[in-house]
Every structure is written in C-alpha cells, then in structure tokens.
Amino acid sequence: MASAFGQGTLADYRRADSIATRLNARFVGMPTAPEWIGRTTRFWYRTTVTGGSQFTHVDAATAVKSPLFDHARLAAALSTILGTTVTALTLPFTTPATMFTVATDVGSITFNRDSSAYRCDLVAYTCARTGVATTANVARAGGDGARNGNATAPVRSPDGTQDAFIVNHNLVVRAVGSTEPVILSYDGIEGDAYTLSSIRWSPDSRKIAAFRVRPGYRRMIPYIESSPTDQVQPKLTTRLYEKPGDPRDRQVPSIFTVAGRTQFRLDPALIPQAYDLRRPQWRADSRAFTFEYNERGHQRYQLLEMHVTTGVARIVIDEREATFVSNYSTVWRQDINDGAEILWMSERDGWKHLWLYDGTSGRVKNQVTTGEWVVRGVDTVDVAKRQIYFRASGMYRGKDPYLVHAYRINFDGTGLVALTQGDGTHTVSWSPDREYYVDTWSRVDMPPVMELHRASDRSIIAELERTDVTVAEQSGWRRPEVFSAKGRDGVTDIWGIIIRPSRFDPRRAYPVIENIYAGPHDHFVPKAFSAQGGMQALAELGFIVVQIDGMGTAQRSKAFHDVAWKNIADAGFPDRILWHRAVAAKYASYDTTRVGIYGTSAGGQNSTGALLFHPEFYKVAVSAVGCHDNRMDKISWNEQWMGYPVGPEYAASSNVEHAGKLQGRLLLVVGELDTNVDPQSTMQVINALVKADKQYDFLFLPGAGHGSGGAYGSRVRNDYFVRHLLGVAPPDWNAITTSGALGPGAVPGSDLNDANWVQVPSAEGPVRAEEIWR
C-alpha cells in the first residue's frame, strides 16, 4: 500500500486550522444544558443556529416551546448600553462566565460585563447599568478544613449566643457580648494545637468538636520565574507541595461540653495512620459526632462515630481493599434519618455499587445495586419514598460500557427502572418539583438529542432538539469511529475512538498518533458528542489519531482498575498495543510501523514511558509536564495508586530510572511555573538522558503553568510528528507572517490558561494552536 502523500504541507495546516476554528459553528441545533427558572416548571437553553445561536424557553407543564426573548430587540438594546454592535444571532452570552440570569417571571435578565452589572427589561427592551459586578465567594466547610488553618473569625454557635475560638493553642468559648472567656482545652501546645478551622458546634449549641493538629513535614519547592511581566529581574518563590512518603499532619478529634467543661479525646489508636480525616459533622440531634478516617495507603476507609455523653468511639463502617479504595470515584455516603441507616458506595464485590447499612449496629442490611456494571454517581435520594436516583454504565451487554444512563431503584434493591433509553451517554436535568426531566444524550459519533420527559411514566413529552451536522460533514469533517478489541486477557473489551483526516484515502497508509492519558482516577476516551477539534486538526496534517482506555483506568470492574496498583508504568500498554493491531488488521490504511504518542501530565509520563518500555511499537513521543517519577509528584494522587510507604515499585515505574532505555524520538515539554507537577520531574529525566548519552528534544516555556504549551507548544508538537512520522519538513513558520494566517494568535484550541503562556525562541519557530479537547 502506498504511503499518503502531500501531508504536512502549509495547505494541510491551513485546512486543519479551518476545521478547528469553524467546526462548532457548523453543528446546528446543538443545545446547552437546560436552566430551570426558579422553582417553576419552565426552563431555557441556548442552541447553535446558522450564523450564531438562539435562546429557547420551554414550559414543561404545557409543552410550549418559544423564543426566550425577542433576539433582535434585545440585540439593539445591548448595542446601545454596551457601545458595540450586537446582532440577533451574536448576543454576547456564549460561555458560563458571560451568561445571564433570567427572572422568575421571565420579564428581565441580569448579567455582568467587565466590572459592571446590567439589567435588561424583556418587555420594554431597555438595558441599564445597575452597579458594580460582584463575585460570590463560597467557602467550603468541612472536608480538609482541619488541615488548613486559614480561618480567622470566631465560630459562632447555631443559636447565636456563643463564639468559639483559639487562644494560646487551645479551644475557648465566650458568650456573645461578654469579655470573659471560658477555656475548654488545656492539652494544646505549640506544634500540637487546636485549629479554628476544625471547630464544629453541635446543632443544640451545647457541644463542640475540634481537632488538635500536629503538623507534618512542610515541603517547600522553589520556582524561578525567569521573565516576570512587572520587572526585569527574575523572581524566586516557593510553594507548599507534599510528596509521597512525607509525614502528614496528625489530627486527633475531641468533643467538649460547654456547660460541663468536659473533654472526650478520641483514642489515637483508632486512627493510627491517617492520611486525613474527612466530613466532620454532628448528628442532627447532637447525640454524636462523626467523621471518616482515610488510612494512609488508601487501603482502609472507615466511618467513625463518637458518642457525646461517654466519648466512646465506634467504627460504624469499615471498608478495606487489598489494593486501594479509590478516593476519586468510590467514596460516597448519605445518612438516612440522622444516621439510622446509611447508604454507602463500595467495590467489595468487584464492581462499584451501593449498599444499605443499619447505622446503629453497623451491619449491612442489603446490597442495593448489583451486577457486572458500575454506579457512576448518585443524583438524589428520596428518603420518603426510599428511592435512589443514580447514574450507571455498563448495564447493556454488547454496548459501549462507558455510556452513562440514569436509573431509579428502591432502598431494598427492588424496582430498578431505567429513566433513559437512547443508545448514547445521557445527562438528565430535573425540574424542581421532579415532575419532569430533560434528557440530553449523544455519542462521540452521534450528535445530541434533547428530550422532555414526564417523570411519572418516563414518557417523552417532546423532542426539543436534534443536532444537524450536515454542514460540518459537507465541509470535510468526519465522525469519529468507535472501535473495540480484546485486551491482554483475551476476554475484556478495550474501547477507543479513531479520527481520520477529512481527505482520508483508504488506499493509502497513514501514520498513527495516540493521544494518551492513563491516570487511574477516571476513564478518558470521550463518550459524548463534541467537535474533537484538537485531534481532528492533528489528523488533518496526514495522520490517523486515536484515543484508548486501557486497563488500569477507572469506571470498569475493580479488577480492571487494579492493574494500575503499584504499577503506573503499565498504563494499559499491553491492551493499547493489541487494540492498535486489531485496527490494523481491519484497515490496511492503519500503519503500525509509524506510531507516535503524546500526552500531558500523567499522559506526559505515559507517552515517555511508551518509548522506554515499548520501543518496539512506539517510535515518536511528545510529553508535556509529565509526572515522570511518582516520588516527585503530589502526595494525594500518587500514594493513592502507588501505595504507602514508598517502596521499590516507585522506582520500577520511574521514567528517570529507565531513561537509559530510550529509543525513538522524544520531545519533552515543561513550563517553569507548573504548580501541579513539579517541573524538576522533567529536568530529572533530562539529567538521566544526558548521563545515558541519549538524544532528546526539549521545549522550555518561561512563565508557563501546567499544560502542553498553548498555541506555541501545540504547533511544536505537530511539527515534531510531521517531521519524524511523515518524514517531511514542516512549513518555515519564521517566514510566514500572521497576515498569511496560522500565526499563533490566529488559531484556537489553546490551553484554558493561555494568557499565561509566553513565546520562547526555538528552532521550530511559532507553532499552531491545538489542544486536546476532552
């Protein structure tokens, strides 16, 4: 079979740019999520139309669908108040940050623009500035608050009569208006003190729970900002950054009675090796205080309860795994009737399911959901009807096991009802009275459908939208192909997608590029419909671009997920390579002798690992901000999968330790101000490569944070694949002015923090913006 010709030319780059910039505009009737108006049965949403977008109002009770407002009249009013030209199809409400709020009577909208707040009357169609824009700051209570001593104001009791605060490292209360403090604790000392942020009043205002905290190791990592915008000289800063193995804060809860001035300390032996203590909260009747104990190593997760009159603590639920309890996708609970019963999520039977506990005895009453499928999340619990509304995937044999559907089930495990039917992944939005719901569903290869349902019988009241992609397909866009093949065990299906160039010729052979992110905290192949503009634009340069979820990622069975345990380097590669070969067996155009791979963050680690551990298959890699050695990365993510204490498995998975095995072409990318992954992780790979006398390429990005380099980094990446997989020289970007198109500022798809990126000198020249759209 002949190799494809003509790829990597300036014309290909321009066509890629055209697809990336215009694709979304060519999807007609693509809806946003519905926004319910107050407590009514009415909602609105935005859809794409030729030339822009429009806003639609629906009354679910009457099934009447109409424009939300007169678009032309509102455009005229906005033009006047904003001092710019606004048209009916280009109203300046396109993102969540720029969106408006609709009044309950639909008589007006309010919105912020720049630093001003505005109101537009939808009867008179006049707009006026109403003041200064405000941003609501919501502080999260509970959670990790005991670790973050950032609270400063006294904590007032629920009845408003007393304040609790910290004096000389100890808990003190004082009646509001009084100057006489009452000391409740005497065991707090410097370095082992009670923290203000941990204080929790009981609902009856008679008791307090608080944590005494002995700080762990405060690792500070340095950053040098080489090119600050406000001065010539570089800046040195440091940042708190815990890494695997670092000593953690020791937290010890106590309960205090205010009137009796008694203290009950939790026996530290009950929490011998805490990673953290979570969800500190009182029972509604103030009889007890509860919290969740997450043991270091993430193999044990418990719910504990301290009784207020005795201080005796008991383990209500004890969840244990030989590998890990996933804090990212499995930990969930809801107390029923003030803890008389507890709904709990667990993977103990090999799949992520819901269980019902007796809160008094701590015994399992029954397993609520069961089967070889996965509960993806709980939406609502109807305590009165003893029903759970939840999302799940994998229930339909022969279908993509990642597609999400909505269900309802009774507490006792009976009465399982599917609320969604279409062959796709579903997002459901309920009316405030839960009499109606809007189901928006799609697949990566099927445009969205939006339906209005009646809750009582799940019937479809109306199909509101069905996205039309005809114009996009006429412009050359091709729908991704969903493909599955057997994994390493010969039994399990591995799922991925294939994206081909718009001028794809099946008679010719195309190099393959894999977009990888194998982080165990989730799955990553897109399932809902979107432009996939980033991967599509890369394909336009003459490649077939794919994305795969191998073993070790989440949202399948526990056994599937456990492949990652203490073996991040596996990254599902045995499954990925089999998947590639299955595609090649079906399509002669799929050239597995020329396979590239790229990724960011964990994907950066994975893509470099492809060349180190599987050089017989992968030939070219571009790795951005990789966590190349899990001992160098953040404590939370890495101890979750690689275990504690730090053992030899960390070195076995390290790209630094194995850098001397490098074969193929490797481009490493790092931003000097990456606060997510320590930039020195990449530098240590480079050090090891130099010591091993290995050739590599490197793109250093001054001022850049965690990402693949925005517009600049994306074009460098694309050029790297064109040069080393296609074997042709990319365009000479230094000779191409931005007026000729394809300048870095002219292309979309850059990182969300693109304003942080700065251009740096490179032999590659300016590069085209393109980013992974997940």
Side-chain angles (χ1 to χ4, degrees):
M1 173 172 285
S3 294
F5 63 90
Q7 296 107 322
T9 67
L10 180 59
D12 294 320
Y13 277 88
R14 283 177 172 160
R15 186 173 62 257
D17 177 52
S18 174
I19 284 180
T21 53
R22 297 182 177 89
L23 200 50
N24 281 310
R26 292 168 176 169
F27 298 151
V28 177
M30 192 163 177
T32 60
E35 298 284 345
W36 295 91
I37 301 173
R39 303 293 300 173
T40 73
T41 59
R42 294 173 285 119
F43 61 92
W44 63 270
Y45 59 91
R46 180 171 62 90
T47 55
T48 55
V49 296
T50 301
S53 61
Q54 66 182 15
F55 295 83
T56 299
H57 173 270
V58 178
D59 188 335
T62 63
V64 173
K65 174 183 173 182
S66 59
L68 179 59
F69 38 62
D70 186 319
H71 290 64
R73 293 183 68 188
L74 180 58
L78 289 168
S79 297
T80 299
I81 194 67
L82 298 178
T84 186
T85 301
V86 178
T87 71
L89 295 178
T90 60
L91 297 177
F93 311 115
T94 56
T95 67
T98 61
M99 199 51 69
F100 50 74
T101 299
V102 181
T104 303
D105 63 359
V106 199
S108 64
I109 61 171
T110 55
F111 64 94
N112 293 334
R113 191 64 78 248
D114 298 325
S115 59
S116 297
Y118 296 90
R119 179 182 182 276
C120 292
D121 187 307
L122 299 181
V123 177
Y125 283 95
T126 57
C127 297
R129 183 180 181 276
T130 57
V132 177
T134 59
T135 302
N137 295 312
V138 180
R140 181 175 66 91
D144 213 27
R147 287 185 51 77
N148 302 322
N150 54 6
T152 56
V155 182
R156 184 151 294 182
S157 61
D159 64 6
T161 65
Q162 302 173 88
D163 285 332
F165 50 99
I166 305 298
V167 174
N168 195 28
H169 316 299
N170 282 285
L171 179 64
V172 175
V173 295
R174 183 174 59 206
V176 174
S178 171
T179 59
E180 296 297 323
V182 176
I183 301 174
L184 294 183
S185 76
Y186 292 90
D187 54 339
I189 60 174
E190 184 177 2
D192 198 359
Y194 287 92
T195 61
L196 189 65
S197 59
S198 74
I199 293 173
R200 299 291 185 276
W201 280 95
S202 62
D204 64 6
S205 298
R206 296 178 180 178
K207 282 85 68 175
I208 298 175
F211 290 3
R212 197 176 77 246
V213 179
R214 178 184 297 169
Y217 177 55
R218 292 298 190 255
R219 180 186 297 277
M220 306 300 292
I221 61 174
Y223 290 89
I224 296 178
E225 186 178 5
S226 62
S227 310
T229 58
D230 59 345
Q231 66 184 50
V232 172
Q233 298 303 321
K235 291 181 179 179
L236 172 65
T237 58
T238 58
R239 181 181 179 88
L240 177 65
Y241 193 105
E242 294 177 283
K243 295 186 178 184
D246 286 352
R248 295 279 285 168
D249 292 359
R250 191 194 74 160
Q251 305 164 261
V252 179
S254 287
I255 290 178
F256 303 86
T257 61
V258 177
R261 303 188 188 183
T262 57
Q263 176 181 1
F264 297 110
R265 299 181 185 89
L266 180 78
D267 182 357
L270 286 172
I271 50 172
Q273 192 69 268
Y275 177 83
D276 59 9
L277 304 182
R278 300 181 174 187
R279 292 186 65 183
Q281 60 190 48
W282 285 89
R283 294 300 187 196
D285 65 1
S286 301
R287 73 182 185 277
F289 177 75
T290 66
F291 61 92
E292 295 173 1
Y293 166 62
N294 180 23
E295 191 166 85
R296 191 85 183 259
H298 304 287
Q299 293 175 289
R300 188 177 190 182
Y301 199 95
Q302 298 175 324
L303 170 63
L304 288 89
E305 181 180 85
M306 291 182 68
H307 199 275
V308 71
T309 58
T310 64
V312 173
R314 69 185 182 98
I315 299 171
V316 183
I317 299 176
D318 190 1
E319 190 73 32
R320 303 188 188 209
E321 289 285 356
T323 55
F324 54 79
V325 177
S326 174
N327 290 298
Y328 289 88
S329 60
T330 304
V331 172
W332 177 87
R333 103 169 195 260
Q334 181 160 331
D335 297 339
I336 307 300
N337 295 327
D338 200 23
E341 295 177 305
I342 301 167
L343 286 167
W344 185 262
M345 188 177 288
S346 170
E347 291 183 292
R348 68 188 61 171
D349 73 343
W351 300 83
K352 187 164 51 177
H353 281 299
L354 301 176
W355 299 69
L356 181 66
Y357 275 81
D358 183 305
T360 302
S361 68
R363 296 191 181 97
V364 172
K365 296 184 73 171
N366 59 268
Q367 185 171 354
V368 181
T369 61
T370 184
E372 294 185 355
W373 46 273
V374 175
V375 172
R376 298 290 290 272
V378 175
D379 295 323
T380 303
V381 175
D382 188 331
V383 176
K385 294 182 179 179
R386 297 183 67 79
Q387 293 179 328
I388 305 165
Y389 291 80
F390 67 99
R391 289 162 281 121
S393 59
M395 205 176 292
Y396 298 102
R397 295 286 184 179
K399 300 293 186 181
D400 185 334
Y402 297 95
L403 299 179
V404 176
H405 284 262
Y407 299 92
R408 185 185 69 224
I409 196 169
N410 297 326
F411 279 18
D412 63 4
T414 64
L416 177 65
V417 173
L419 302 173
T420 56
Q421 298 297 329
D423 182 16
T425 198
H426 296 251
T427 301
V428 170
S429 177
W430 288 86
S431 63
D433 61 6
R434 299 193 70 82
E435 294 293 326
Y436 308 95
Y437 60 93
V438 177
D439 176 18
T440 305
W441 59 279
S442 68
R443 292 192 311 270
V444 68
D445 60 346
M446 192 202 79
V449 175
M450 177 185 265
E451 301 166 340
L452 174 62
H453 289 251
R454 182 175 289 105
S456 58
D457 59 5
R458 308 181 304 282
S459 62
I460 299 177
I461 298 172
E463 181 180 290
L464 301 173
E465 303 291 341
R466 183 174 290 268
T467 305
D468 184 354
V469 298
T470 303
V471 175
E473 289 177 320
Q474 290 174 344
S475 71
W477 172 75
R478 306 172 65 91
R479 301 185 191 207
E481 177 183 350
V482 178
F483 190 89
S484 66
K486 298 301 179 185
R488 70 188 77 180
D489 59 3
V491 176
T492 305
D493 288 328
I494 303 298
W495 290 77
I497 60 172
I498 305 169
I499 296 176
R500 298 176 174 86
S502 60
R503 296 188 179 184
F504 175 73
D505 183 347
R507 298 168 300 175
R508 300 189 177 277
Y510 291 82
V512 176
I513 298 176
E514 180 180 345
N515 168 11
I516 189 171
Y517 190 99
H521 56 280
D522 207 342
H523 79 95
F524 303 97
V525 175
K527 299 300 171 181
F529 184 85
S530 69
Q532 302 303 330
M535 288 189 283
Q536 183 67 56
L538 180 56
E540 290 304 305
L541 301 182
F543 305 107
I544 294 175
V545 181
V546 303
Q547 193 170 356
I548 310 159
D549 280 318
M551 291 188 187
T553 51
Q555 312 305 352
R556 298 286 291 274
S557 70
K558 187 70 168 74
F560 190 103
H561 200 187
D562 281 348
V563 170
W565 173 237
K566 294 189 175 183
N567 191 14
I568 285 286
D570 180 277
F573 279 120
D575 314 300
R576 296 169 186 277
I577 292 170
L578 288 171
W579 188 94
H580 282 290
R581 288 175 174 159
V583 178
K586 182 175 181 179
Y587 299 113
S589 57
Y590 199 89
D591 186 356
T592 54
T593 68
R594 295 181 291 165
V595 180
I597 187 168
Y598 71 99
T600 299
S601 194
Q605 178 181 16
N606 304 146
S607 50
T608 295
L611 299 189
L612 303 181
F613 303 115
H614 302 279
E616 78 289 348
F617 191 79
Y618 295 95
K619 307 304 180 185
V620 183
V622 178
S623 303
V625 293
C627 40
H628 294 284
D629 188 314
N630 300 100
R631 294 168 295 190
M632 285 287 292
D633 196 25
K634 65 194 77 65
I635 189 173
S636 57
W637 194 86
N638 293 274
E639 283 191 7
Q640 169 76 84
W641 318 118
M642 293 298 291
Y644 174 84
V646 173
E649 300 87 359
Y650 279 79
S653 284
S654 168
N655 290 343
V656 177
E657 300 284 346
H658 296 277
K661 298 177 181 178
L662 178 66
Q663 297 181 47
R665 302 304 300 253
L666 172 64
L667 169 62
L668 295 165
V669 181
V670 72
E672 68 179 359
L673 299 182
D674 185 349
T675 57
N676 186 314
V677 174
D678 187 345
Q680 306 316 312
S681 184
T682 296
M683 304 309 292
Q684 290 184 2
V685 173
I686 290 174
N687 179 56
L689 291 171
V690 171
K691 288 182 176 180
D693 198 25
K694 292 291 183 176
Q695 184 179 1
Y696 66 95
D697 294 289
F698 180 45
L699 176 61
F700 180 77
L701 296 162
H706 190 66
S708 57
Y712 193 94
S714 295
R715 187 178 287 167
V716 170
R717 182 198 66 201
N718 295 352
D719 287 354
Y720 203 75
F721 286 132
V722 166
R723 180 177 290 109
H724 296 298
L725 287 179
L726 292 179
V728 300
D732 181 359
W733 301 113
N734 288 347
I736 301 173
T737 65
T738 54
S739 61
L742 291 169
V747 240
S750 56
D751 288 349
L752 293 177
N753 62 341
D754 201 37
N756 295 331
W757 304 119
V758 297
Q759 297 182 17
V760 296
S762 168
E764 304 285 355
V767 292
R768 193 186 56 74
E770 186 278 313
E771 188 56 32
I772 308 167
W773 294 3
R774 291 193 178 94

